[in-house]
């Protein structure tokens, strides 16, 4: 007590002494911030300023101190003579005192986190000081998670270590929060059977902290789909906080299969030739291996599969039947059904049975039949080219002409799968004597001009064409049709008697007479087959029509005159030859063979064909 009182008295005395000496009261007040933050490795300036009362001091000394080993150590100073920094301090080489008295610090270290004191001594005016806490911050590295590669069994009744999260080299230490599917997990530090974390902080030799947290939890089967990660939360200058997330990871959970499915991958009904895929799936983790078996009669045949899928590249009806998949999960309890059945149905159609070739006489009828068998109901169709002729397995064709010859196809369609089809082809041959179907008249401008005649005949076998005036002929063949063309000089004989073309095959022959007339329009020499009646064809031609009509009228008049003359001569008995003609005609009536021999008209030829004994059929001529 006495000591303190005496000290007070001494202090009072000193102040009074100073006041009395200087005559004015004087004080020094130093101003520094309480705290300054700096990022590790960065630069910072610690401000310091002062104020005073009384006389302006003549000299001012500013010194910066730190606490080191329990005592105060100066690191830098500034006075009227200049500024400098002290050697042998932890800050040597990194600090300087500025003219505004701030302490500049570069390459901030974790160890720089300490109290800095700025002391100002102003001679007789006195001295003052202020202290600043420097805080250093270092952001940790991106957090990392290490997980055990071991599968975690969900059947365990206690927790398993799920992962360890490390946030390295931060300052100050931060903390770690665990996340599951984006939501933070509650922070539980006490060990239990469900979930907890064990945090740990290690101060590295560098002074930096490594923070770790180990997550323990009892996983559920549903956790296999969850994603986990950890987040490191740490402080930064200015009382802010930042965070950094680890990569996401999944739990390697192990659980046995509870359900097996065996399904057909194909969505459409299966037909022969299809590629079939059957998939077996099990919900265990890891996915078990599978065994595939085909049930055949009383034995089981093993089938290769890959990744739970059996592929049959081109199935046939023999692949139909029962298939079995077995999931080889030996952890599953016996109550779990690990075998699943699948019945494969393969639809099919047999190849169509039908003749390849059918031959029918011209004018005849035919009933074509095609048949097949299939795995189910099917429909049949007959076509020629793209034209549908019948919607059943039979096709009836009557009064066959040469144009009916050709390829007919029969198509079978399975009703359950319209894409399952079969096709067969049949060639129909129409056999018969030749039929000529070319126009039979031509025009020349004047006698002696060249005229081109075309004779076109159909027949099976292919007819042979001969002309009454042998000359060079050019012939073309198209299927059952042969077309022959000759070029002749329209001589008087030809103009009068015409030219005949004869088509012959083993079933008979047909003849056509070409009339060659002199007319104005000689250029329109018909050459297209398909005409028939020469009068009709001529009538259609504008240029030649008048000439033809005149010719016909003249002929009719001449015939009438001739008939009248003959009648008159016969009545008067002056014509023996007339009686001869009559007797031939009479005998012809009693002998049909003579008609065939004697009659040379086209009509006669057709009738001869009708009775042709070599075919035994009644071909219909071209009507
Ligand atoms: C003092 O001076 C230094 C360098 O000239 C500057 O970086 C710092 O901001 C100044 N401090 C104050 C408080 O003026
Ligand atoms: C985690 O699992 C999910 C679903 O099972 C999957 O989509 C994801 O890719 C997995 N993530 C990782 C990091 O393995
Ligand atoms: C039937 O003939 C057509 C052409 O005429 C051909 O495209 C098709 O391949 C043939 N089909 C069979 C089964 O021979």
């Amino acid at each position: 007590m006495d000591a303190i009182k005496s000290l007070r008295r001494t202090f009072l005395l000193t102040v009074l002494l100073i006041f009395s000496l200087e005559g004015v009261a004087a004080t020094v007040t130093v101003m520094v911030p309480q705290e300054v933050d700096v990022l590790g490795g960065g630069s910072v300036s610690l401000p310091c300023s002062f104020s005073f009362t009384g006389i302006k001091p003549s000299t001012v000394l500013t010194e910066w101190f730190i606490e080191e080993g329990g005592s105060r150590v100066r690191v830098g100073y500034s006075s009227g003579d200049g500024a400098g920094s002290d050697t042998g301090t932890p800050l040597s080489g990194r600090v300087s005192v500025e003219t505004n008295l701030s302490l500049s610090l570069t390459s901030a270290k974790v160890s720089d986190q300490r109290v800095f004191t700025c002391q100002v001594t102003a001679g007789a005016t006195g001295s003052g000081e202020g202290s600043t806490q420097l805080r250093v911050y270092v952001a940790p590295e991106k957090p990392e998670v290490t997980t055990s590669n071991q599968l975690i069994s969900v059947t365990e009744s206690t927790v398993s270590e799920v992962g360890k999260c490390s946030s390295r080299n931060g300052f100050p230490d931060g903390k770690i929060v665990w996340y599951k599917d984006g939501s933070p997990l509650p922070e539980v530090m006490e060990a239990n059977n469900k979930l907890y974390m064990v945090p740990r902080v290690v101060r590295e030799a560098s002074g930096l902290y490594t923070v770790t947290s180990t997550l323990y939890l009892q996983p559920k089967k549903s956790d296999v789909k969850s994603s986990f990660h950890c987040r490191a939360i740490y402080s930064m200058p200015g009382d802010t906080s930042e965070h950094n997330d680890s990569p996401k990871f999944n739990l390697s959970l192990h659980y046995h299969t509870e359900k097996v499915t065996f399904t057909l991958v194909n969505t459409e009904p299966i037909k022969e030739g299809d590629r079939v895929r059957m998939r077996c799936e099990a919900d265990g983790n890891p996915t078990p291996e599978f065994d595939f078996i085909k049930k055949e009669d009383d034995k089981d045949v093993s089938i290769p599969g890959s990744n739970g899928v059996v592929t049959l590249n081109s199935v046939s009806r023999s692949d139909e039947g029962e298939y079995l998949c077995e999931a080889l999960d030996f952890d599953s309890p016996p109550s779990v059904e690990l075998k699943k059945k699948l019945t494969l149905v393969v639809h099919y159609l047999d190849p169509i049975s039908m003749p390849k070739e059918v031959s029918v006489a011209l004018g005849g009828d035919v009933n074509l039949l095609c048949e097949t068998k299939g795995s189910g109901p099917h429909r049949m169709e007959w076509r020629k080219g793209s034209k549908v002729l019948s919607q059943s397995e039979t096709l009836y064709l009557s009064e066959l002409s040469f144009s009916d010859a050709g390829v007919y196809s029969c198509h079978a369609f399975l009703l359950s799968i319209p894409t399952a089809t079969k096709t067969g082809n049949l060639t129909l041959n129409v056999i018969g004597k030749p039929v000529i179907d070319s126009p039979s008249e031509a025009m020349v401008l004047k006698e002696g001009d060249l005229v081109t005649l075309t004779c076109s005949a159909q027949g099976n076998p292919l007819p042979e064409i001969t002309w009454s005036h042998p000359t060079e002929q050019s012939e073309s063949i198209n299927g059952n049709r042969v077309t022959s063309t000759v070029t002749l000089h329209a001589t008087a004989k030809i103009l009068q008697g015409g030219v005949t073309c004869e088509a012959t095959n083993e079933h008979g022959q047909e003849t056509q007479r070409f009339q060659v007339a002199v007319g104005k329009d000689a250029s329109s020499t018909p050459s297209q087959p398909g005409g028939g009646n020469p009068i009709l064809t001529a009538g259609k031609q504008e240029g030649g029509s008048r000439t033809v009509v005149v010719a016909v009228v003249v002929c009719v008049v001449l015939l009438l005159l001739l008939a009248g003359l003959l009648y008159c001569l016969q009545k008067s008995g002056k014509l023996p030859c007339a009686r001869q003609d009559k007797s031939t005609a009479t005998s012809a009536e009693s002998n049909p063979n003579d008609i065939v021999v004697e009659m040379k008209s086209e009509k006669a030829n057709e009738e001869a064909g009708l009775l042709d004994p070599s075919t035994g059929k009644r071909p219909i001529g071209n009507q």
Side-chain angles (χ1 to χ4, degrees):
M1 276 288 268
D2 284 2
I4 292 172
K5 272 185 184 165
S6 68
L7 205 69
R8 268 193 192 156
R9 207 172 296 133
T10 316
F11 182 74
L12 260 172
L13 271 174
T14 312
V15 170
L16 284 174
L17 199 68
I18 289 167
F19 272 51
S20 60
L21 279 176
E22 303 295 323
V24 185
T27 53
V28 175
T29 310
V30 173
M31 287 154 291
V32 292
Q34 236 184 337
E35 287 168 350
V36 169
D37 293 349
V38 63
L39 267 180
S43 301
V44 69
S45 172
L46 303 178
C48 179
S49 57
F50 69 93
S51 60
F52 60 88
T53 55
I55 316 161
K56 185 182 185 321
S58 50
T59 60
V60 173
L61 173 65
T62 305
E63 292 163 297
W64 279 95
F65 295 93
I66 56 171
E67 292 285 335
E68 180 73 5
S71 59
R72 201 177 245 205
V73 173
R74 194 180 76 170
V75 294
Y77 61 91
S78 172
S79 70
D81 302 333
S85 54
D86 296 277
T87 54
T89 77
L91 301 177
S92 293
R94 297 192 288 127
V95 286
S96 58
V97 180
E98 307 294 338
T99 48
N100 62 13
L101 308 185
S102 299
L103 180 73
S104 278
L105 172 72
T106 58
S107 308
K109 294 181 188 173
V110 168
S111 55
D112 296 339
Q113 174 154 315
R114 53 171 89 230
V115 174
F116 287 77
T117 304
C118 175
Q119 181 183 312
V120 178
T121 310
T125 313
S127 69
E129 62 175 53
S131 290
T132 294
Q133 170 72 50
L134 179 66
R135 294 194 304 193
V136 181
Y137 296 88
V138 176
E141 294 159 22
K142 188 177 168 72
E144 278 177 3
V145 174
T146 48
T147 54
S148 78
N149 292 326
Q150 300 272 301
L151 288 175
I152 306 168
S153 175
V154 296
T155 47
E156 300 279 330
S157 58
T158 183
V159 291
S160 298
E161 182 181 322
V162 158
K164 182 185 269 184
C165 178
S166 305
S167 170
R168 292 178 193 285
N169 298 323
F171 193 90
D173 60 347
K175 74 173 204 173
I176 285 173
V177 176
W178 286 93
Y179 281 75
K180 173 179 159 182
D181 293 328
S183 306
L185 289 171
E187 286 181 58
V188 181
M189 303 303 166
E190 298 86 42
N192 61 66
N193 276 343
K194 295 281 169 222
L195 166 93
Y196 64 92
M197 296 96 182
V198 174
R200 203 161 153 240
V201 178
V202 172
R203 179 144 197 181
E204 308 283 350
S206 60
L208 298 171
Y209 292 104
T210 289
V211 180
T212 59
S213 172
T214 310
L215 175 65
Y216 294 86
L217 63 79
Q218 186 190 348
K220 296 190 289 288
K221 200 168 151 184
S222 60
D223 289 334
V224 78
K225 290 196 182 85
S226 298
S227 89
F228 289 80
H229 75 270
C230 67
R231 168 172 290 184
I233 301 171
Y234 51 91
S235 306
M236 280 283 104
D239 289 326
T240 58
S241 126
E242 288 184 14
H243 64 257
N244 212 341
D245 289 345
S246 76
K248 292 190 160 73
F249 68 98
N250 287 5
L251 301 190
S252 302
L253 294 186
H254 176 264
Y255 46 84
H256 65 75
T257 297
E258 287 179 342
K259 191 168 187 256
V260 180
T261 57
F262 192 24
T263 50
L264 202 56
V265 179
N266 302 50
T267 51
E268 302 288 315
I270 314 276
K271 59 178 189 296
E272 278 190 323
D274 282 354
R275 182 169 184 259
V276 170
R277 280 152 55 83
M278 295 177 274
R279 175 176 290 134
C280 196
E281 284 171 302
D283 61 355
N285 199 40
T287 304
E289 300 279 306
F290 299 99
D291 255 3
F292 295 100
I293 279 167
K294 164 108 196 279
K295 289 279 195 193
E296 268 176 14
D297 298 330
D298 45 12
K299 63 180 200 292
D300 291 353
V301 179
S302 180
I303 310 256
S306 159
N307 293 324
V309 176
V310 167
T311 304
L312 305 174
N313 270 324
S314 178
V315 287
S316 70
R317 61 195 76 173
S318 65
D319 292 316
E320 194 169 272
E322 200 163 272
Y323 289 79
L324 212 65
C325 159
E326 183 178 6
L328 305 176
D329 194 332
F330 306 109
D331 296 331
S332 292
S335 59
V336 175
E337 218 181 300
L338 292 172
K339 285 185 184 177
K340 279 286 151 79
K341 263 195 304 196
L342 188 157
T343 303
L344 180 67
V345 176
V346 179
H347 297 274
Y348 62 88
L349 267 178
D350 279 344
I352 290 179
S353 86
M354 64 194 282
K356 283 216 160 8
E357 198 166 343
V358 169
S359 297
V360 184
L362 185 66
D365 302 347
V366 69
N367 200 14
L368 303 174
L369 178 68
C370 67
E371 286 174 306
T372 185
K373 281 210 250 331
S375 54
H378 54 273
R379 76 183 170 81
M380 310 288 277
E381 198 171 274
W382 276 99
R383 294 182 195 164
K384 190 180 188 197
S386 57
K387 194 174 169 206
V388 177
L389 301 175
S390 157
Q391 300 238 322
S392 75
E393 55 190 20
T394 59
L395 173 65
Y396 179 70
L397 298 169
S398 61
E399 299 187 358
L400 289 168
S401 70
F402 288 122
S403 61
D404 293 322
V407 175
Y408 289 76
S409 57
C410 172
H411 303 258
F413 304 89
L414 208 54
L415 293 187
S416 51
I417 317 179
T419 53
T421 64
K422 279 281 189 305
T423 305
N425 284 345
L426 177 151
T427 304
L428 178 68
N429 297 315
V430 177
I431 294 170
K433 75 174 194 78
V435 174
I436 297 178
D437 55 2
S438 42
S440 56
E441 109 293 343
M443 292 285 171
V444 286
L445 271 179
K446 60 178 194 300
E447 188 181 319
D449 277 0
L450 281 175
V451 63
T452 298
L453 301 173
T454 298
C455 182
S456 183
Q458 273 183 290
N460 192 353
L462 197 66
E464 209 171 276
I465 291 184
T466 49
W467 292 85
S468 57
H469 291 66
T471 178
E472 202 176 304
Q473 53 171 286
S474 68
E475 219 171 66
S476 68
I477 292 165
N478 181 8
N480 282 329
R481 175 184 294 281
V482 54
T483 303
S484 170
T485 304
V486 291
T487 302
L488 301 159
H489 286 284
T491 59
K493 196 178 159 204
I494 284 175
L495 288 174
Q496 194 188 358
V499 178
T500 57
C501 138
E502 185 180 273
T504 319
N505 71 6
E506 62 186 71
H507 301 296
Q509 45 124 275
E510 188 171 72
T511 311
Q512 172 159 293
R513 179 182 299 276
F514 288 85
Q515 234 111 45
V516 182
V518 175
K520 268 193 237 158
D521 191 2
S523 58
S524 66
T525 307
S527 60
Q528 296 292 316
N533 192 327
I535 307 288
L536 276 180
T537 310
K540 283 178 197 153
Q541 289 177 326
E542 281 178 29
S545 60
R546 203 175 307 150
T547 323
V548 173
V549 170
V550 170
V552 168
V553 169
V554 168
C555 283
V556 169
V557 170
L558 281 174
L559 277 172
L560 282 174
L561 284 174
L562 190 64
L565 183 65
L566 284 172
Y567 180 77
C568 292
L569 287 173
Q570 197 191 20
K571 271 271 164 146
S572 56
K574 283 175 187 170
L575 197 64
C577 59
R579 193 169 293 148
Q580 178 72 33
D581 269 11
K582 193 186 176 186
S583 68
T584 306
T586 318
S587 68
E589 274 166 28
S590 60
N591 186 349
N593 283 332
D594 285 354
I595 298 175
V596 178
V597 171
E598 299 237 321
M599 293 179 81
K600 287 284 201 300
S601 72
E602 291 171 29
K603 181 93 179 130
N605 269 322
E606 278 181 21
E607 279 169 8
L610 284 173
L611 302 171
D612 192 343
S614 63
T615 61
K617 299 264 165 66
R618 274 184 60 94
I620 314 170
N622 55 335
Q623 322 257 24

